[in-house]
Amino acid sequence: MVTVVIAFAMNILVAVAKSVAAALTGSAAMVAEAAHSWADAGNEVFLLIAERRGARGRDRRHPFGHGRETYVWSMFAAFGLFTVGAVVSIMHGISALSDPEPDADYLIGYLVLAISALLEGVSFAQSVRQARAGGRRMSMSPLRFVVRTSNTTLRAVFAEDAAALTGLAIAALGMALHEITGEAFWDALGSILVGCLLAYIAVFLIKRNSEFLVGQVAMPSIRDDMLRRLREHPDIDRVTYLHAEYVGPVQFYLVAAVDIVGDLPEHQLASRLRSLEAQLEEDDVIVEAVLTLSTVDEPSLD
């Protein structure tokens, strides 16, 4: 939540600065960057909604809770990035190619880009810290963790901030080439490139959110940890099947086939299974646990 709030505050400040600079300079690349920042700011609202609604617990109509709703609202944010950020930037760049803007006030443009880079850097640093912490827990690099994590808001903020810093560099290069050559083509090209960058990020975020909505199994390290905990339980002799699927950010639906220690009567076995399920569900990350009995011929999982 802190990461999203910081990103929202920084994007509002950056969007205002870029909009003023775009009006004063007439730079196509600056217009694209302003659209980018306003899109990011709007997306943070969707991400805040996603965090709040996804945190609601289980109820009778939603036995797995509301965690998957996080991916729905994050999908809206990704679509917003694509339509408001990418499409507007590309269309404005194409328009500037046919109707070039006059020479811009480059000093104002460079100052605003520098200030924007500083503000975007503050937000990006926060998301990088969170990604590093998560990566250490999973023995992954921060970038790989961002790609694989079920925390869709972290992934969105990290990707948008990285794209924002890259877009600032593209805009600065476009303005510099416009100033050096006197050709507005470079400024317009910068706008188009920023739009293409945003389109790529948006498609990536849409794809990852859709994968979690359709059904994404737990990362191998998480599954292995769940298997280890089951095998170490004093009431479980062996585990022959294990399925762990995300039902929200760091929330799982767990199904396992186990062999209970001893040779208990049927009614005692049923009670033991229900007790084990309840114990597993005491862990906040396991929303629902379903245990069945293994058959004699089923091999144990390694």
Side-chain angles (χ1 to χ4, degrees):
M1 180 70 75
V2 173
T3 300
V4 180
V5 171
I6 291 175
F8 176 72
M10 294 302 102
N11 279 320
I12 287 292
L13 294 174
V14 170
V16 171
K18 288 179 181 177
S19 297
V20 172
L24 293 176
T25 65
S27 167
M30 190 63 73
V31 171
E33 277 299 303
H36 177 188
S37 292
W38 283 116
D40 282 353
N43 292 343
E44 309 308 337
V45 175
F46 284 122
L47 295 178
L48 287 170
I49 295 173
E51 291 257 327
R52 290 182 62 86
R53 295 183 67 87
R56 292 181 298 170
R58 301 164 60 176
D59 55 42
R60 293 180 61 184
R61 295 182 60 187
H62 305 89
F64 293 157
H66 296 76
R68 281 200 174 110
E69 194 168 351
T70 303
Y71 303 115
V72 175
W73 287 97
S74 297
M75 187 83 80
F76 291 157
F79 277 120
L81 182 65
F82 185 85
T83 55
V84 179
V87 174
V88 170
S89 298
I90 292 173
M91 290 180 62
H92 185 75
I94 293 173
S95 175
L97 286 175
S98 58
D99 184 19
E101 297 285 348
D103 286 350
D105 187 334
Y106 301 107
L107 179 59
I108 293 177
Y110 294 140
L111 286 173
V112 169
L113 289 177
I115 294 171
S116 299
L118 179 62
L119 295 174
E120 294 283 6
V122 172
S123 176
F124 187 57
Q126 172 62 27
S127 60
V128 168
R129 282 193 292 270
Q130 190 174 349
R132 282 177 175 168
R136 281 194 297 270
R137 291 194 298 270
M138 300 294 177
S139 299
M140 294 181 179
S141 68
L143 184 58
R144 181 170 174 79
F145 176 76
V146 167
V147 173
R148 298 292 303 278
T149 183
S150 62
N151 187 338
T152 183
T153 55
L154 171 61
R155 178 168 37 252
V157 172
F158 186 99
E160 290 174 6
D161 287 345
L165 291 170
T166 305
L168 289 171
I170 293 173
L173 181 60
M175 288 180 60
L177 290 173
H178 183 184
E179 180 181 12
I180 293 168
T181 65
E183 294 290 337
F185 163 81
W186 298 109
D187 201 12
L189 180 62
S191 178
I192 294 172
L193 290 177
V194 169
C196 291
L197 173 66
L198 298 183
Y200 176 81
I201 294 297
V203 170
F204 163 70
L205 294 175
I206 290 170
K207 180 176 181 295
R208 287 301 285 143
N209 283 311
S210 65
E211 288 170 347
F212 281 100
L213 283 171
V214 171
Q216 178 87 38
V217 296
M219 288 188 285
S221 59
I222 295 176
R223 180 185 180 277
D224 291 345
D225 182 63
M226 291 181 176
L227 176 60
R228 177 187 57 78
R229 290 168 59 189
L230 285 172
R231 295 174 64 180
E232 290 177 353
H233 195 284
D235 289 338
I236 296 177
D237 187 36
R238 61 195 182 99
V239 181
T240 60
Y241 175 80
L242 177 62
H243 174 78
E245 182 176 322
Y246 287 101
V247 292
V250 201
Q251 294 179 326
F252 299 94
Y253 171 51
L254 174 67
V255 180
V258 300
D259 187 8
I260 299 298
V261 173
D263 190 16
L264 300 174
E266 181 179 349
H267 69 281
Q268 292 183 359
L269 274 175
S271 297
R272 184 69 59 83
L273 286 176
R274 298 294 86 77
S275 175
L276 288 172
E277 290 171 351
Q279 291 176 37
L280 291 171
E281 291 170 5
E282 290 177 358
D283 190 329
D284 291 338
V285 304
I286 299 178
V287 175
E288 178 86 5
V290 177
L291 299 180
T292 61
L293 293 175
S294 303
T295 62
V296 175
D297 59 334
E298 288 179 327
S300 299
L301 295 178
D302 296 330

